[in-house]
Amino acid sequence: MVENLLTKAIRSYLATKLKDFLLPCEDPEKGKSLQIINGYLPPKTTKEKVSDEDLYPFVLVRPESAETDRESTVVTVAIIIGTYSKESIGHEYALNVMTRIREALCTLPDLQLEGKYQIEFPIKWEGNDSPAWPFWQIYMQTEWIIRSPKPAFSDGDIYDF
């Protein structure tokens, strides 16, 4: 549940930070806003028959792993950026989105989202060595610290014997 709430908060935050960002789409006369998507792209076998061009540009936000100890849970969240461009420098659109996301995350007040999710550095990203032209993708990896709740003991003793 914590992971779902965290990724929901990230999606909401990114939606406000990226709302005015228009990117190329299949129609060269128009720009298209980024879709902020939870988890994964829809499967191509759905009844709606969503084309790749309809999906791009997008930002996917999904939890990938977590590690919990007594003090905190560290959640690794992937942010995948997908853009569309038939230009040979189309990868630069994905880089521009990545830069805007990175700046938004690095300027969080006290490096915390909603006062309970703290971003941990470094923020990592990598591109795709062989993009499926005209689609360009960047994979970002972020880590977030969430403090673990403290156990409550009724009589102050942690042992029951």
Side-chain angles (χ1 to χ4, degrees):
M1 182 164 171
V2 168
E3 290 80 0
N4 288 332
L5 294 173
L6 168 61
T7 56
K8 182 179 180 181
I10 294 169
R11 289 191 316 272
S12 177
Y13 180 69
L14 293 180
T16 62
K17 294 295 185 178
L18 300 170
K19 67 182 175 192
D20 299 328
F21 207 169
L22 293 179
L23 292 157
C25 59
E26 189 175 23
D27 182 349
E29 301 296 317
K30 294 183 180 179
K32 189 174 175 185
S33 297
L34 284 158
Q35 298 180 74
I36 310 295
I37 301 172
N38 181 18
Y40 297 85
L41 293 174
K44 293 185 180 192
T45 58
T46 61
K47 292 178 184 175
E48 297 93 33
K49 297 292 182 194
V50 178
S51 71
D52 286 338
E53 289 82 7
D54 291 335
L55 295 173
Y56 285 78
F58 64 80
V59 173
L60 293 175
V61 179
R62 70 171 168 245
E64 292 208 322
S65 64
E67 185 174 322
T68 302
D69 62 25
R70 275 269 211 215
E71 300 299 316
S72 63
T73 296
V74 178
V75 181
T76 301
V77 176
I79 300 173
I80 297 102
I81 299 152
T83 59
Y84 175 94
S85 175
K86 290 185 177 180
E87 299 174 52
S88 62
I89 58 164
H91 66 282
E92 291 183 2
Y93 292 107
L95 281 170
N96 289 340
V97 175
M98 182 279 304
T99 300
R100 180 138 342 149
I101 292 171
R102 183 179 58 204
E103 288 173 0
L105 296 176
C106 288
T107 58
L108 281 165
D110 297 325
L111 300 176
Q112 290 188 356
L113 182 60
E114 295 186 351
K116 53 188 162 189
Y117 311 113
Q118 183 167 345
I119 192 155
E120 186 71 9
F121 291 101
I123 296 172
K124 301 175 186 177
W125 73 267
E126 60 184 62
N128 190 336
D129 286 345
S130 53
W133 183 91
F135 306 106
W136 308 91
Q137 289 190 3
I138 289 180
Y139 172 88
M140 293 182 77
Q141 183 178 355
T142 61
E143 291 192 347
W144 299 82
I145 299 173
I146 305 159
R147 295 282 167 227
S148 296
K150 301 292 181 213
F153 302 108
S154 58
D155 61 0
D157 192 358
I158 61 171
Y159 301 105
D160 192 25
F161 56 88

